[in-house]
Amino acid sequence: MSGSTSRRRKHSPAVYRRRRLVVLLTALIVVAGLVWLFIAQPWQSSASTQTLPVSSPSPSSSPSASESAAPETDAETPVPEAEAEEPAPELTPSAEPCIAADLLIEAVTDQTVYAAGQNPQLSIRLTNQSTTDCTLNVGTSAQAFTISSGPDIWWRSTDCQTEPSDMTVLLSAGQQVTSATPLTWDRTRSSVDTCQGDRPQAAGGGATYRLSVAIGGLSSSNTAAFQLE
């Protein structure tokens, strides 16, 4: 045999490169398959992804979700409109102003006899004698207290009044009200000229005085008599 038959045939470099590429691709496919089996775990079932079988509604018997949400209405029957909300009643009913025939106005003192050093406490009592409600200004601007001894007027609450105010109230039929805070008489003679000065003291020793009142231009039906000791 010749020496040429004892030599092995050598392949070109391109052949070796193709072989290495095939081996590398095969290895990558095997690794990718193992990774997928480890991550996906297709043999296990997840409770969170399981679904229960449901029966599909028949198109002829079951309405769609949009149809079931809206009630059926007859095209010939009009839908009633929402009723308008009634206005709330007034907290204070309106009424006509009180007149003299409606009211019983009384002068009131806290005592009938006052010892030396005691000052009379004066009040107004109002009674709505009518069968209907009426309104009246009972503020200090509408009140007047007068104390007299015989024909001599000794004291008026309006002589030196400061900052008078209005307050209109509703007097219900049959309602009776009295001054919340009585007015104090200091047992002196008043006049518009002596508001800032000394005033003569009213005589005591059993002298009798009378209180009359007016409110809203309406005078009391009585006078309250009292004595100063």
Side-chain angles (χ1 to χ4, degrees):
M1 296 178 65
S2 64
S4 60
T5 58
S6 61
R7 296 179 181 176
R8 293 183 179 180
R9 182 178 296 178
K10 294 182 178 181
H11 298 284
S12 64
V15 173
Y16 289 108
R17 286 195 297 269
R18 285 197 295 268
R19 289 178 179 178
R20 287 195 296 268
L21 181 60
V22 171
V23 173
L24 179 61
L25 290 176
T26 303
L28 290 176
I29 292 173
V30 173
V31 172
L34 293 175
V35 171
W36 179 81
L37 290 175
F38 179 80
I39 296 176
Q41 299 181 2
W43 60 88
Q44 293 184 355
S45 62
S46 174
S48 61
T49 60
Q50 289 181 351
T51 58
L52 298 176
V54 293
S55 59
S56 299
S58 173
S60 61
S61 61
S62 300
S64 64
S66 60
E67 292 174 349
S68 61
E72 295 182 0
T73 57
D74 189 351
E76 297 180 356
T77 304
V79 178
E81 297 180 358
E83 296 182 0
E85 184 178 355
E86 296 183 359
E90 295 181 2
L91 297 180
T92 303
S94 59
E96 297 294 327
C98 301
I99 60 175
D102 297 334
L103 299 176
L104 173 63
I105 304 172
E106 298 174 277
V108 179
T109 59
D110 62 328
Q111 296 175 197
T112 56
V113 178
Y114 295 91
Q118 286 185 319
N119 293 330
Q121 305 296 306
L122 319 176
S123 300
I124 299 176
R125 184 162 59 211
L126 299 173
T127 305
N128 183 358
Q129 302 179 111
S130 70
T131 57
T132 59
D133 301 346
C134 63
T135 59
L136 184 68
N137 181 6
V138 297
T140 56
S141 62
Q143 299 179 20
F145 295 80
T146 303
I147 294 176
S148 59
S149 178
D152 186 11
I153 295 178
W154 262 84
W155 181 86
R156 291 188 182 93
S157 63
T158 56
D159 283 346
C160 299
Q161 188 179 45
T162 60
E163 299 181 357
S165 61
D166 296 328
M167 185 175 70
T168 301
V169 299
L170 177 73
L171 294 177
S172 302
Q175 183 180 9
Q176 184 179 89
V177 295
T178 306
S179 303
T181 304
L183 186 63
T184 301
W185 179 41
D186 61 0
R187 299 172 66 143
T188 64
R189 183 185 290 275
S190 74
S191 74
V192 294
D193 299 327
T194 60
C195 294
Q196 303 299 329
D198 294 334
R199 294 176 170 179
Q201 289 289 320
T208 299
Y209 297 84
R210 291 186 176 273
L211 169 67
S212 62
V213 297
I215 188 163
L218 305 176
S219 299
S220 58
S221 59
N222 74 319
T223 58
F226 59 92
Q227 293 181 349
L228 298 182
E229 299 293 343

